[in-house]
Amino acid sequence: MKLHLNTDANLRLFTGYGDDHVLINGHRHESSLLLTPRGVEIAPWAGLDFEALTAAHFEWVALRELDILLLGTGTRLRFPHPSLTRALVDARIGLEVMDIGALCRTYNFLIAEGRNVGAAVLIEPANGPVHLGENTQ
């Protein structure tokens, strides 16, 4: 799906998405990432599935000093266990969990308002789930 929003040309915005990618200002990303007003970072959970998320992943995000984190869990809504997201609570970062389409639309809206928001995108591997500790040879 393509998204359109008229706003500051310097902002990084989601301009489209699919089951296996997002478009940021027209550039295709097929790996999990974190988008903030400061830029795009490849996420430490890149290449992993939802079940492989750890507290360390959310600790990494908590270092970004955001007000709100939108977590896009792919094509369906899934909530991480609260023990995993404790670092966000400690850093006073609000968490909203949504599917990838809702994440893209919500991020664009909030960033256009000048909010200090981050979008954590989970793009799961096409070859099926990869779990930590699995032999992937």
Side-chain angles (χ1 to χ4, degrees):
M1 170 176 284
K2 290 186 178 181
L3 302 173
H4 298 283
L5 179 67
N6 294 325
T7 188
D8 184 349
N10 296 320
L11 291 178
R12 291 176 188 87
L13 300 171
F14 290 104
T15 53
Y17 63 91
D19 293 349
D20 62 350
H21 72 280
V22 292
L23 299 174
I24 299 173
N25 291 4
H27 186 269
R28 186 179 177 107
H29 296 268
E30 296 178 351
S31 184
S32 296
L33 58 87
L34 177 67
L35 176 61
T36 69
R38 292 167 288 288
V40 179
E41 296 179 75
I42 299 300
W45 57 87
L48 302 176
D49 66 353
F50 179 81
E51 288 76 24
L53 291 175
T54 67
H57 296 132
F58 293 97
E59 290 166 7
W60 178 83
V61 173
L63 297 174
R64 290 354 184 233
E65 299 180 0
L66 301 166
D67 294 331
I68 304 166
L69 177 69
L70 308 176
L71 174 62
T73 58
T75 58
R76 64 182 214 258
L77 188 59
R78 297 171 284 180
F79 291 88
H81 191 276
S83 65
L84 299 179
T85 61
R86 183 69 198 176
L88 299 178
V89 173
D90 292 345
R92 302 178 56 90
I93 298 172
L95 174 65
E96 295 292 334
V97 180
M98 51 195 66
D99 66 42
I100 196 166
L103 170 129
C104 292
R105 293 184 299 272
T106 304
Y107 178 86
N108 285 358
F109 182 80
L110 292 174
I111 204 72
E113 287 187 341
R115 305 288 296 274
N116 185 22
V117 62
V121 179
L122 174 68
I123 298 176
E124 294 182 288
N127 298 354
V130 175
H131 299 282
L132 291 177
E134 240 180 43
N135 185 352
T136 56
Q137 294 180 358

